[in-house]
Amino acid sequence: VTRNLVAASAVVTLGSQLGLFPVHSVLLLWPKIFGQLQIWRLVFSFLFMGPLGFHLIFMAAIFYRHSKMLEQGEFLSNAADYVWFLLIVTMVALPLAFFLKLLYMGPALVFAMLQLWSRRNANQMVSIYGLITFPALYYPYALLAVNMVLTGGAIDWIGLSGIVAGHVYYFLDTVYPAMPGKRRVISTPLALTNMFRPAPPPSEAARRVGPGGAVSAGGASAPAPGFGLNLGSNIRQRVTGGHSWGSGQRLGGSD
């Protein structure tokens, strides 16, 4: 999932920045979404990471690293659950983007991943730029503060909406089901689970039984044990007429 997600994000971000297609074609322009049904913007806006620059490289590195860590940790062998997490994040973040008038949500996806990972690894020590070390629980908020400093004090509403979306998933997935009398309410849909389920091995019914009980899996029956001996015996009987002539004697030999 991570490889495909990062590759799609690279295509959308770099393609729009290098002029392969217009940047505004992937932004959340709501009049075009509602009026012209350009619903692809709801997806591509989460793959666009922002303008080229050092901050983009930094966010791309965090994106890949923490997505891979989630996929190999929290969602190990559960690609469907990881995709379901991403879908819930987008469903929570899109209304926030609408009311806050945000144009793209790629960094929000990164902050949502950071929020979930930091909650699962709250006591792990992390650092930003190798300068400050602190518990992972505060990682998303520290990165949010760094973004505010880099932008001259402006509130990073995109990152903040990602933190909210990630925390909503964490609450519904972990906190709420742990309450007395409560249960998990965001279970992965069966259709999504089946979509990512590995193909089962060939069944026994597909295996074909050959002569003499020999089994083959490819459709062509394996020869029965002793097949060569039986064939030779049959040929011999046809030639001799089924009679046993003995060993015989050499011509010219003595009686």
Side-chain angles (χ1 to χ4, degrees):
V1 176
T2 295
R3 182 169 29 193
N4 294 331
L5 191 62
V6 171
S9 178
V11 169
V12 172
T13 302
L14 296 180
S16 61
Q17 294 295 299
L18 297 177
L20 299 181
F21 48 86
V23 176
H24 64 78
S25 65
V26 301
L27 300 180
L28 285 173
L29 303 178
W30 296 101
K32 292 185 177 294
I33 295 174
F34 292 129
Q36 302 179 22
L37 297 180
Q38 296 182 1
I39 58 176
W40 66 82
R41 297 175 181 271
L42 301 177
V43 177
F44 288 172
S45 63
F46 282 91
L47 299 175
F48 182 71
M49 290 293 164
L52 296 177
F54 173 76
H55 186 64
L56 173 62
I57 299 175
F58 179 66
M59 291 298 294
I62 294 177
F63 183 28
Y64 176 79
R65 181 170 183 266
H66 285 82
S67 178
K68 198 68 175 177
M69 291 170 67
L70 283 176
E71 191 172 7
Q72 295 179 347
E74 173 73 13
F75 300 106
L76 180 63
S77 301
N78 289 296
D81 290 348
Y82 187 38
V83 173
W84 183 233
F85 158 71
L86 296 174
L87 290 175
I88 290 178
V89 166
T90 58
M91 288 186 288
V92 174
L94 278 174
L96 296 176
F98 177 79
F99 288 109
L100 295 173
K101 295 180 173 53
L102 303 177
L103 294 178
Y104 61 94
M105 299 298 288
L109 200 61
V110 178
F111 273 93
M113 294 176 181
L114 283 177
Q115 178 67 9
L116 180 62
W117 179 85
S118 67
R119 288 289 173 171
R120 300 297 194 207
N121 304 271
N123 296 323
Q124 182 173 331
M125 302 303 292
V126 297
S127 65
I128 295 182
Y129 300 117
L131 300 176
I132 306 174
T133 302
F134 47 86
L137 180 64
Y138 308 107
Y139 191 20
Y141 310 105
L143 189 58
L144 198 66
V146 170
N147 287 347
M148 292 178 62
V149 172
L150 294 177
T151 56
I155 299 177
D156 184 2
W157 291 109
I158 299 177
L160 189 59
S161 63
I163 291 177
V164 171
H167 194 77
V168 167
Y169 176 87
Y170 172 76
F171 177 82
L172 296 177
D173 179 72
T174 305
V175 178
Y176 183 78
M179 296 179 179
K182 305 299 182 181
R183 60 184 180 85
R184 196 165 183 261
V185 295
I186 55 170
S187 298
T188 306
L190 183 60
L192 194 60
T193 302
N194 292 335
M195 186 182 304
F196 287 91
R197 180 172 296 167
S203 62
E204 281 298 317
R207 297 165 64 88
R208 183 172 297 181
V209 180
V215 179
S216 65
S221 300
F227 175 75
L229 296 176
N230 294 336
L231 179 60
S233 177
N234 292 337
I235 294 176
R236 186 167 53 251
Q237 288 183 7
R238 289 177 178 273
V239 173
T240 62
H243 299 286
S244 177
W245 298 98
S247 58
Q249 294 185 351
R250 184 168 56 88
L251 291 177
S254 57
D255 293 335

